[in-house]
Amino acid sequence: MPFSLLKYGLRARHVSFRDIPPTPDLKRSYDVVIIGGGGHGLAAAYYLSNVHGIRNVAVLEKGYLAGGNTARNTTTIRSNYMTEESVRFYKEGVELFETMSRDLGFNVMFSQRGQLTLAHSEATLRSFHLRAEMGKHMGTRIEVVDVRTVKELCPHLNLDLGGQHEVMGGLWHADGGTARHDAVAWGYARHAGARGVEIHQRTEVTGFEHAGDRVTHIRTNRGTIAVGQVLQAVGGLNGQVAAMAGIRLPIRCFPLQAMVTQPLKPFLDILVSSANLHTYLVQSSRGEVVIGGGSDPYQLASTRSTLDQKEHLAEGALHLFPFLHKVKLLRQWAGITDMTPDYSPIMGASPLRNYWLDCGWGTWGFKATPVAGKRMAETIATGRVPDVLKPFDLRRFDSFALLNEMGATAASH
Amino acid sequence: MKLLTCPVNGPRNITEFQYLGPVRAASADQPEQLIEALFYAENPLGVMREWWRHTPSNTVLIAERHTVSDQIVATYLPTRKPA
Ligand SMILES: Cc1cc2nc3c(=O)[nH]c(=O)nc-3n(C[C@H](O)[C@H](O)[C@H](O)COP(=O)(O)OP(=O)(O)OC[C@H]3O[C@@H](n4cnc5c(N)ncnc54)[C@H](O)[C@@H]3O)c2cc1C
């Protein structure tokens, strides 16, 4: 053990080290208030302060930093979506992850090991060809692979040849990966804090005051503040917070559940998901197998887990890797997701002139943390919505310009 | 096991039912309400009226359920709203 560490431990007066500044008193007013201290809100704070030089910014978080869906997700990062608009956006997201640890000087443990989605039917394979062509057209590394390649990529997988869930091929996305989710949030928070952004934990937004089509004040459990511009990024509660501001969003709440096993010797070095079984698995750097799947079947705004859904996840995992049958579960949990009708997020303007939306992230928003933060900050700083965000405008529902990503998001997150 | 009471068949495992979404305030018959009916579904933190189907008997029913506690307050046939 290094001697200096021992000495530090035995010394009476420690100089404590703090990445994220403590919560200060609220000021009377801010140029920008970000509601929600999840990954998205913190990334936006980072870009506003570090890139655009806007520092009179407060992030208001009702609980603790990144304690919402940012800490609950299963960390899949990928860009193998279906529509051109989505692939362009998520590809920029993956590229930002590639340099994130270096950019932030903070190890977010990004591991680009590739993601494999399995097809158990001809129909699924056909839809994979469509996604692969779209991905290639947009310059991502993605291809449809046969069973032999599946076996090479994932030697321990049960191919169930001739069985009910026979593996017929897969969609191999070499750019896919994972990162440590809370480190992403902490990295952004540290840099934003260093530039003067105030991060207010345990500060809940409870209401708004308007003048015409602008929000003038935000009410919180710690007092009321005046505000220039507002960014809303509150994860599972986006529908409710928007309603307080007088904005209706096409959002419904559904729980999404996941679980991890005890640590095992490394056997799975890619991310694997099955479209039919609604299950996906990834082995963490600690050896735990993270298992995720589809949403609960009906609307609910609760973070309680259900036995049904956990059994379903276990069933899928056991089908793909039967040797996991005696492995113990360590932890299991649920998060509330904000689902839109077309499985795509809502970003950009709202009916209020100084109120910006970054919501509808549902079950797939972790991978978008850097790109959403970067582009929303740009929107707020310049007052103009960049082209890459335009397709995600709230008004798309009024004009039936939906971006249907159901097939690309269902249970592979 | 979570139970839901079918007005025809009595209490059954909730896995026997299919969720069909909230009873919409808007009407799809009126063109100006179409977008509302299609995309802006109810999403309250509280009791919500919603359509369910008991799959084995094909009984379509209405349930009143609390969306935070997940408690089912009442179930009844759409034609027979209890007093
Ligand atoms: C089980 C699970 C697995 C997932 N897996 C993946 C995956 O593999 N890949 C992927 O890309 N995505 C995944 N997701 C989705 C992803 O986690 C979310 O889309 C993403 O974290 C959203 O980030 P956010 O910053 O917008 O929201 P959050 O991280 O939820 O942050 C919002 C914050 O707002 C705060 N807040 C709420 N109301 C108020 C208020 N009134 N005042 C102040 N603060 C408030 C909350 O406390 C919360 O901390 C998964 C989600 C779940 C639940």
Side-chain angles (χ1 to χ4, degrees):
Chain A
M1 187 171 61
F3 187 61
S4 58
L5 185 61
L6 184 66
K7 227 169 78 184
Y8 179 81
L10 293 174
R11 207 166 44 197
R13 258 175 296 148
H14 298 279
V15 186
S16 66
F17 170 79
R18 191 152 185 158
D19 268 337
I20 298 158
T23 298
D25 288 336
L26 279 171
K27 287 198 294 207
R28 276 236 222 106
S29 83
Y30 294 93
D31 293 340
V32 181
V33 167
I34 297 173
I35 312 174
H40 281 242
L42 294 166
Y46 163 80
Y47 282 102
L48 276 174
S49 55
N50 283 257
V51 175
H52 300 284
I54 299 176
R55 296 175 184 193
N56 186 18
V57 177
V59 177
L60 309 184
E61 165 55 51
K62 80 170 175 152
Y64 58 94
L65 213 65
N69 286 345
T70 295
R72 294 166 197 268
N73 68 71
T74 45
T75 72
T76 302
I77 296 162
R78 61 188 180 88
S79 60
N80 53 352
Y81 278 71
M82 259 173 350
T83 63
E84 191 171 332
E85 293 86 347
S86 301
V87 177
R88 181 181 301 122
F89 174 79
Y90 290 107
K91 180 169 178 276
E92 188 173 315
V94 173
E95 285 161 6
L96 288 170
F97 270 107
E98 286 169 355
T99 60
M100 190 183 291
S101 290
R102 204 168 352 122
D103 296 345
L104 295 177
F106 200 98
N107 188 3
V108 300
M109 295 166 73
F110 181 56
S111 146
Q112 204 162 21
R113 51 184 110 162
Q115 192 229 3
L116 176 68
T117 313
L118 304 170
H120 307 275
S121 73
E122 292 287 349
T124 312
L125 265 182
R126 272 197 299 277
S127 79
F128 283 0
H129 278 289
L130 213 68
R131 277 166 71 183
E133 290 312 313
M134 178 54 78
K136 279 181 207 156
H137 170 63
M138 303 299 295
T140 57
R141 287 191 295 158
I142 181 164
E143 60 187 313
V144 176
V145 293
D146 62 11
V147 186
R148 262 228 334 261
T149 314
V150 167
K151 181 97 197 148
E152 277 163 24
L153 288 167
C154 197
H156 300 287
L157 186 75
N158 169 28
L159 295 170
D160 195 12
L161 294 171
Q164 195 191 352
H165 296 290
E166 173 168 11
V167 174
M168 302 179 75
L171 186 65
W172 172 238
H173 177 38
D175 294 325
T178 70
R180 172 136 187 221
H181 41 24
D182 24 33
V184 170
W186 298 334
Y188 284 133
R190 181 171 82 160
H191 282 265
R195 287 287 168 120
V197 170
E198 292 182 4
I199 298 171
H200 294 267
Q201 304 193 58
R202 301 217 170 275
T203 307
E204 179 172 4
V205 171
T206 54
F208 297 91
E209 286 165 26
H210 296 79
D213 59 357
R214 299 177 73 88
V215 165
T216 56
H217 294 83
I218 298 184
R219 287 197 292 270
T220 80
N221 59 339
R222 295 172 58 224
T224 298
I225 46 181
V227 64
Q229 307 210 52
V230 188
L231 172 65
Q232 180 194 313
V234 292
L237 291 173
N238 273 308
Q240 279 72 25
V241 173
M244 286 198 284
I247 301 165
R248 277 195 76 190
L249 295 181
I251 279 177
R252 299 200 277 162
C253 296
F254 288 88
L256 185 67
Q257 307 189 29
M259 57 196 196
V260 294
T261 68
Q262 67 187 99
L264 303 176
K265 181 174 145 184
F267 71 94
L268 181 63
D269 61 359
I270 60 168
L271 289 79
V272 63
S273 24
S274 156
N276 280 35
L277 293 165
H278 286 280
T279 312
Y280 59 96
L281 293 94
V282 55
Q283 190 167 20
S284 80
S285 45
R286 280 187 292 227
E288 299 164 340
V289 183
V290 182
I291 308 169
S295 303
D296 282 25
Y298 55 87
Q299 269 165 271
L300 196 61
S302 151
T303 50
R304 282 183 67 172
S305 301
T306 61
L307 183 61
D308 290 354
Q309 204 66 11
K310 290 300 177 339
E311 282 177 345
H312 175 76
L313 292 184
E315 198 180 312
L318 286 181
H319 192 90
L320 298 174
F321 299 101
F323 58 87
L324 292 177
H325 72 286
K326 280 201 173 144
V327 168
K328 294 192 170 49
L329 291 178
L330 271 196
R331 296 186 298 281
Q332 49 85 29
W333 65 91
I336 307 170
T337 63
D338 50 335
M339 298 297 289
T340 56
D342 61 356
Y343 296 76
S344 293
I346 297 166
M347 284 181 281
S350 79
L352 298 171
R353 259 211 298 159
N354 60 341
Y355 198 96
W356 306 94
L357 299 169
D358 176 42
C359 52
W361 283 109
T363 63
W364 57 86
F366 171 64
K367 62 182 73 62
T369 306
V371 58
K374 177 178 171 188
R375 295 304 198 163
M376 288 310 302
E378 180 185 337
T379 304
I380 293 166
T382 63
R384 262 199 337 270
V385 180
D387 285 345
V388 69
L389 294 193
K390 282 189 180 140
F392 302 98
D393 193 288
L394 171 62
R395 283 162 301 190
R396 71 179 181 271
F397 297 98
D398 299 338
S399 52
F400 291 92
L402 272 60
L403 278 174
N404 188 359
E405 287 294 342
M406 171 141 192
T409 51
S412 52
H413 307 300
Chain B
M1 186 167 68
K2 216 176 269 175
L3 296 178
L4 199 142
T5 303
C6 170
V8 175
N9 302 287
R12 296 293 161 124
N13 188 338
I14 201 158
T15 56
E16 283 186 25
F17 294 83
Q18 181 190 11
Y19 178 64
L20 300 174
V23 176
R24 305 281 163 90
S27 148
D29 298 338
Q30 306 205 282
E32 70 275 14
Q33 290 191 0
L34 185 62
I35 286 166
E36 185 91 351
L38 283 176
F39 305 131
Y40 289 82
E42 279 67 8
N43 187 43
L45 297 184
V47 176
M48 177 162 78
R49 291 176 69 226
E50 54 198 18
W51 293 109
W52 287 77
R53 186 169 77 98
H54 181 240
T55 322
S57 65
N58 202 19
T59 310
V60 175
L61 59 129
I62 290 178
E64 292 180 3
R65 187 178 57 89
H66 197 289
T67 62
V68 178
S69 67
D70 203 17
Q71 215 140 44
I72 297 153
V73 184
T75 56
Y76 44 86
L77 291 174
T79 47
R80 265 182 255 156
K81 162 99 178 111

